[in-house]
Amino acid sequence: MFSHGWPLSADAFEDQMFFLAARGYRCIAHDRRGHGRSSQPWSGNDLDTYADDLAALVAALDLENAVHVGHSTGGGEVARYIGRHGTKRVAKAVLIGAIPPLMLKTAANPGGLPIEVFDGLRASVAADRSAFWKELSMPFYGYNRPGAKISEGVRESFWLQGMRAGFPASYYCIKAFSETDLTEDLKKMDVPTLVMHGDDDQIVPIGASALLSSKIVKNAVLKIIKGAPHGMCTTHKNQVNEELLAFLKA
């Protein structure tokens, strides 16, 4: 069960789903409310509602022993889903480049990013989100690094997914992924958990995310992908796929 990041859609996991489905796994991914092909309600752009939406989908499909994989904001969704709904239907969890425990810098979380960073994101979305998605694709995939092999196709896919997200979700999800403290949710994750993160993630810096969350989740396994950016499910898909498959089989 795949939960995608902001401002993308289920399509962000197409490489993982094709790989795993070809090996006999049932793969399900939803477009979060306000994103992709989902409807665009004004309300509910917060992690509690995202988690409850996921729970409703899991119940509707009557999923049992599901492995929940969340990237970025989707990792926060998975953590909050478990925090609110437990692990009765969950076999394992995977957090990839994920936002937990907290992205915002506070007195208790000095390694986080200052609020001005997120105010800047909001201002860019409000000013010209089409241009902003094009700009954001560069650090998202590490294409702004010297010698990076840039795929204009990947950048166009990112832009298309971003533009399919509704304006309210594009804007209000920023508060959701930056200011939601998921520490207590992580403490409730009592299933085998893989925490995977790139050490060159410019969107969700590893120091305030994976390095902390992997210590909070009981018996979590931390896999650091050397040189990988935030969008490593695309740029490092072969390595991510093999790590996922090994974890599923373990």
Side-chain angles (χ1 to χ4, degrees):
M1 185 75 213
F2 292 89
S3 294
H4 65 78
W6 169 91
L8 305 176
S9 70
D11 294 349
F13 277 118
E14 62 185 9
D15 291 314
Q16 285 66 53
M17 293 195 292
F18 187 80
F19 176 85
L20 293 174
R23 286 155 179 78
Y25 291 92
R26 181 187 181 192
C27 296
I28 303 165
H30 63 296
D31 289 353
R32 185 176 300 113
R33 71 164 52 211
H35 297 68
R37 289 148 290 222
S38 283
S39 58
Q40 300 181 2
W42 181 266
S43 62
N45 295 292
D46 58 83
L47 277 168
D48 283 354
T49 307
Y50 294 160
D52 293 348
D53 287 346
L54 177 57
L57 177 58
V58 167
L61 297 175
D62 194 23
L63 301 183
E64 300 285 351
N65 297 315
V67 178
H68 283 264
V69 182
H71 173 251
S72 196
T73 300
E77 178 180 291
V78 169
R80 181 52 54 93
Y81 163 71
I82 291 174
R84 286 172 70 84
H85 300 277
T87 54
K88 181 181 178 181
R89 294 177 177 268
V90 181
K92 297 181 179 181
V94 183
L95 305 179
I96 303 176
I99 61 172
L102 175 63
M103 284 196 71
L104 182 68
K105 181 178 182 179
T106 65
N109 187 47
L113 296 171
I115 189 67
E116 290 78 15
V117 171
F118 305 109
D119 288 341
L121 294 180
R122 278 183 279 265
S124 295
V125 167
D128 185 347
R129 68 191 183 104
S130 179
F132 177 56
W133 299 144
K134 289 184 178 180
E135 295 166 3
L136 185 60
S137 68
M138 292 297 285
F140 194 96
Y141 295 107
Y143 290 160
N144 59 341
R145 295 307 197 201
K149 183 179 179 181
I150 299 172
S151 167
E152 290 301 330
V154 167
R155 294 189 67 203
E156 289 170 4
S157 177
F158 182 92
W159 175 85
L160 178 61
Q161 290 180 65
M163 289 307 294
R164 294 181 81 175
F167 203 110
S170 299
Y171 189 89
Y172 291 116
C173 185
I174 296 170
K175 180 179 178 66
F177 72 64
S178 64
E179 298 183 39
T180 306
D181 191 336
L182 295 152
T183 303
E184 294 304 313
D185 304 276
L186 294 174
K187 292 178 181 178
K188 296 178 182 178
M189 296 178 70
D190 57 0
V191 294
T193 301
L194 172 64
V195 179
M196 201 181 330
H197 217 101
D199 66 1
D200 192 32
D201 191 323
Q202 302 172 64
I203 308 299
V204 182
I206 189 172
S209 54
L211 297 187
L212 296 179
S213 60
S214 60
K215 294 178 181 178
I216 298 171
V217 178
K218 301 182 189 70
N219 301 316
V221 175
L222 174 63
K223 291 283 185 178
I224 299 175
I225 309 301
K226 186 172 179 58
H230 192 56
M232 65 181 178
C233 290
T234 299
T235 61
H236 290 62
K237 61 185 178 182
N238 293 338
Q239 192 170 354
V240 171
N241 291 348
E242 291 297 341
E243 292 286 0
L244 280 176
L245 183 61
F247 182 65
L248 291 177
K249 289 182 173 180

